[in-house]
Amino acid sequence: MATEQQEQQKIEQLRHQSADELEHIAGREKENLEGWIPSMARDTEIREALEKAFDYRGDVTITRKDGSQVEGYLFDRRSGSSLSDSFVRIIPSKERTKVNVAYADIAALAFTGRDTAAGKTFDAWVKKYWEKKAAGEKNIQIEPEKLD
């Protein structure tokens, strides 16, 4: 268990880091997926791309093999033993219904929306809090960025 003094030291270190330094989570490299169109030639590439799409906090565009497209937020995926029994669930950006798409039906995937989570780590929030507190502000509230 960390002592109060250790916690204070950690907070003090965070106060002196830039927002770019705070964006990186230890042990995990942040990928910039915005605008990426992955190769989906093999089953493993399809599965890897859809896992990244699940972690992505922006809209994606899925093009089905029949040519139809669905653009929206990919909020769930179910990985089965084959592509035909694996599927993603997406909320289209222009409606509030949930759409299921089998992995086997996906011809292409594109990361088309802005990554709304980029630079939004808890450490970045703590840094902003301490900057405002050091400036003498009271009743500090960090408001979320407005989404488009």
Side-chain angles (χ1 to χ4, degrees), residues 4-81:
E4 187 174 325
Q5 184 179 11
Q6 290 170 326
E7 289 296 318
Q8 278 301 109
Q9 288 174 340
K10 184 177 179 180
I11 291 169
E12 190 62 31
Q13 289 172 339
L14 292 174
R15 290 178 62 197
H16 299 290
Q17 290 181 324
S18 71
D20 288 337
E21 291 169 327
L22 292 173
E23 183 176 349
H24 295 284
I25 299 168
R28 182 172 176 169
E29 184 69 25
K30 173 72 174 142
E31 290 183 83
N32 182 8
L33 299 173
E34 198 170 313
W36 182 49
I37 301 173
S39 170
M40 297 180 66
R42 297 186 318 254
D43 288 5
T44 56
E45 290 174 328
I46 293 168
R47 290 181 185 276
E48 288 173 12
L50 291 170
E51 280 300 311
K52 289 181 181 190
F54 174 72
D55 288 337
Y56 189 64
R57 296 296 172 237
D59 284 353
V60 297
T61 300
I62 292 175
T63 303
R64 295 184 185 106
K65 290 182 178 175
D66 68 4
S68 64
Q69 289 187 330
V70 59
E71 180 181 358
Y73 180 70
L74 192 152
F75 72 95
D76 190 20
R77 81 277 187 238
R78 305 290 164 108
S79 185
S81 58

Side-chain angles (χ1 to χ4, degrees), residues 118-134:
K120 309 290 190 292
T121 66
F122 179 73
D123 290 340
W125 182 89
V126 169
K127 182 179 187 316
K128 288 178 187 175
Y129 171 85
W130 283 109
E131 287 172 353
K132 289 184 175 201
K133 187 164 182 97

Side-chain angles (χ1 to χ4, degrees), residues 27 36 44 49 53 63 66 82 84 93 99 101-102 109 113-114 123 127 137:
W36 182 49
T44 56
T63 303
D66 68 4
S82 69
S84 55
S93 55
V99 176
V101 181
L109 172 69
R114 183 174 65 94
D123 290 340
K127 182 179 187 316
E137 292 186 36

Side-chain angles (χ1 to χ4, degrees), residues 101-119:
V101 181
Y103 285 23
D105 294 337
I106 299 173
L109 172 69
F111 292 76
T112 51
R114 183 174 65 94
D115 184 353
T116 58

